[in-house]
Amino acid sequence: MRVAILGVGTVGEAVIKILKQNQELITARGGEEIIPVVGVVRNLNKFRNVDIELSDDLDAVTSRDDIDVFVELMGGIEKPYEVVSKILKLGKPVVTANKALLAYHRYTLQSLAGLTPFGYEASVAGGVPIIGALREGLSANHIISINGILNGTSNYILSSMMNKGENFADALRKAQSLGYAEADPSFDIGGFDTAHKLLILASIAYGVNAVPEDILIEGIEKITAEDIFFANDFDFCIKLLAVAKKFDDKIELRVHPTLVPKDKMIAKTSGVTNAISVVGDAVGETMFYGPGAGGAATASAVVSDLVAIARKVKTPMLGFKNPITEKSLGLLGQNEIRTKYYFRLKVADELGTLAKITNIMSQNQLSIDSFLQKPGSKEERNTTLFFTTHTSFEADVRRVINLLQAQDFILEKPFMMRIEM
């Protein structure tokens, strides 16, 4: 089986290395030799540590009749979509690690692929085989919920803040110096990378067709040392969490920083590691844990898809060979989200402030579960109040935030975080 690698960067180099280094094992498992034949690069003058033919002519390579499978590692959305669509129309299998491509175009690509193999195990959680687990291993289950740490950059930053007392800016700089964060980290820390991955998982679990603009996405940029103080004091960890839940005929999808009890398995995931909890109606809770990024881990997932293609495995791309006959599932509206909430409020240290806040909350269906006060400077006469609520509706929480923000005794914009128990 002859393979073209479209994009020979860190992952592309690792794919070629694994295919050559583990050739005998891969051939034994796949039933035929998988040979990397050519790689496409933007700049032929840049050194790549590979010993295959390199080309900068993408159209020429994708038109070659002697290539059996194409591995798309270009990055981006619309150009890869154009290239992959062309390949699928030719009836050639594709393997990709491109979560952004799939976040926007997975259903169109599924239609184009038909029975042509399309592998994308590497698009979510790197070396963690969550796609195969959802699509095959858990195929007997109605998926009740998915909770995932799907971005190593954000998890490293939050772990540093929780465990080492670093502030956000210092933790981010260290992540960048170690190569865990990009020079522009906004895609990771803003939650968008995680959202792309969640949408892919939600399609396999529920058959839901949504794009990032349809769901709640919040990043970790506003987490402060005060939030860490509260989390530690109340035995929580803060994680950037991807959440999917099934409620009757609606699916709740959201990405945001989350307070998670420290005794939960997912809370114990630190550093750049990814972890996904999947609850099925038959199997109960299953946990998947491992390296979510890096050349070798992602390449391992790419090669697993190549082995499946060599075996002539015909797995439906998004997990459903036939349409679901039961009532189709829609998205739960953001205001309908129902969970527990955390508030951080910087307020004027004045008589009656606490009573005014609790009155606003109670008048808007928010019931306080716990409360903590952290005195501020005597000179500035301010204090920081922390609240958690009982289970509440998002609409009520947002209304309370708007009401509080309009009060003279509120000194900074109120900060809210959701809690997953």
Side-chain angles (χ1 to χ4, degrees), residues 55-314:
S55 170
D56 60 0
D57 192 335
L58 179 62
D59 290 335
V61 171
T62 54
S63 300
R64 282 175 56 165
D65 293 331
D66 64 329
I67 302 299
D68 299 306
V69 183
F70 293 86
V71 175
E72 186 277 304
L73 301 171
M74 298 162 58
I77 300 174
E78 296 309 322
K79 182 62 177 178
Y81 174 61
E82 175 190 326
V83 171
V84 170
S85 297
K86 172 187 173 182
I87 295 167
L88 291 174
K89 287 174 183 176
L90 294 171
K92 297 286 184 78
V94 172
V95 174
T96 185
N98 191 335
K99 65 262 182 183
L101 166 67
L102 296 171
Y104 285 96
H105 295 300
R106 59 198 180 280
Y107 281 93
T108 306
L109 293 173
Q110 177 180 242
S111 297
L112 286 173
L115 296 177
T116 302
F118 190 113
Y120 55 101
E121 183 66 68
S123 66
V124 180
V128 182
I130 186 60
I131 301 295
L134 275 176
R135 205 167 50 177
E136 287 102 36
L138 297 172
S139 57
N141 290 258
H142 289 282
I143 303 302
I144 296 168
S145 67
I146 300 171
N147 288 308
I149 296 169
L150 301 176
N151 184 268
T153 300
S154 293
N155 202 46
Y156 175 85
I157 292 169
L158 291 173
S159 297
S160 297
M161 293 176 73
M162 287 293 306
N163 301 331
K164 300 178 182 178
E166 295 180 359
N167 63 40
F168 178 83
D170 289 341
L172 172 58
R173 278 192 290 271
K174 188 172 180 182
Q176 289 170 322
S177 71
L178 292 170
Y180 298 151
E182 303 288 342
D184 178 4
S186 55
F187 190 67
D188 292 314
I189 64 175
F192 304 106
D193 173 78
T194 297
H196 289 174
K197 295 169 182 175
L198 176 63
L199 290 168
I200 295 168
L201 297 182
S203 289
I204 303 169
Y206 307 111
V208 172
N209 186 1
V211 294
E213 289 77 10
D214 295 332
I215 69 171
L216 173 66
I217 305 172
E218 294 177 2
I220 64 171
E221 309 94 322
K222 297 177 182 177
I223 303 295
T224 68
E226 291 178 316
D227 303 315
I228 302 300
F229 161 78
F230 175 88
N232 280 320
D233 212 51
F234 280 76
D235 285 328
F236 286 109
C237 272
I238 301 176
K239 298 293 182 185
L240 180 66
L241 212 60
V243 178
K245 294 181 181 179
K246 184 175 183 292
F247 295 99
D248 298 323
D249 62 346
K250 295 286 185 69
I251 301 301
E252 179 179 325
L253 298 178
R254 47 190 167 97
V255 171
H256 48 69
T258 311
L259 284 163
V260 182
K262 285 184 177 180
D263 60 356
K264 293 285 186 181
M265 284 297 296
I266 204 163
K268 303 178 192 300
T269 305
S270 61
V272 294
T273 305
N274 283 192
I276 307 107
S277 162
V278 181
V279 178
D281 65 340
V283 74
E285 184 177 21
T286 55
M287 282 290 300
F288 303 85
Y289 175 95
T298 306
S300 171
V302 169
V303 174
S304 76
D305 282 334
L306 291 173
V307 169
I309 292 169
R311 289 171 172 168
K312 307 295 189 291
V313 175
K314 291 189 176 180

